[in-house]
Amino acid sequence: IYPYLYNLGEIINISDLIVSRSGAMTIIEIENVGKPAILVPFPFAAENHQEYNARAIEKANAAKVILDKDLNTDILDKTIIELIEDKNKLKQMSENSRKLAIENVEDKIYETIMK
């Protein structure tokens, strides 16, 4: 468990399952490498955008969402075990995650800001 990762891309690449908040850049990293995720949206994010991000990924069957208010060790453990024991589910979630990726998204964000 880390409070913040400066090498997020590296860590995501070597992981089989991601447990994370659901900020936009984190979602982009997860989708770019096609990883399944358990997302816990930060409940105090502006306009609840992290939950919207997480729900979109969940709707595409690429992630599971656990709301912060519902998070406890039992629920998290159960969800992790359920996923890692079902290799087909993890594979499908990975494929679904990768399908959501937008190529060169950082460049597109930059271009939009510059306009």
Side-chain angles (χ1 to χ4, degrees):
I1 298 174
Y2 299 96
Y4 188 83
L5 294 170
Y6 292 95
N7 60 338
L8 183 62
E10 289 177 48
I11 300 300
I12 287 175
N13 261 323
I14 63 172
S15 300
D16 295 319
L17 175 66
I18 309 300
V19 179
S20 179
R21 294 293 192 182
S22 49
M25 294 310 289
T26 301
I27 296 296
I28 288 167
E29 294 278 359
I30 290 170
E31 291 172 351
N32 280 342
V33 293
K35 295 293 180 166
I38 298 170
L39 300 172
V40 184
F42 181 61
F44 305 107
E47 299 177 16
N48 201 29
H49 73 273
Q50 285 205 11
E51 184 174 348
Y52 291 112
N53 294 346
R55 294 293 183 195
I57 308 306
E58 181 180 54
K59 184 176 179 182
N61 294 313
K64 298 279 186 179
V65 175
I66 302 173
L67 295 179
D68 201 82
K69 67 181 178 68
D70 299 328
L71 184 64
N72 62 49
T73 55
D74 292 335
I75 289 173
L76 184 57
D77 285 349
K78 180 180 177 226
T79 306
I80 291 171
I81 291 167
E82 173 186 302
L83 290 174
I84 63 173
E85 288 182 346
D86 188 344
K87 300 297 183 203
N88 289 329
K89 175 82 170 164
L90 276 183
K91 182 180 179 204
Q92 188 61 55
M93 288 174 74
S94 291
E95 290 170 5
N96 293 341
S97 179
R98 184 67 186 115
K99 288 176 189 174
L100 296 170
I102 300 170
E103 298 297 322
N104 302 316
V105 72
E106 293 91 349
D107 294 335
K108 290 176 183 177
I109 291 170
Y110 175 78
E111 289 170 12
T112 300
I113 291 170
M114 294 310 291
K115 285 181 187 176

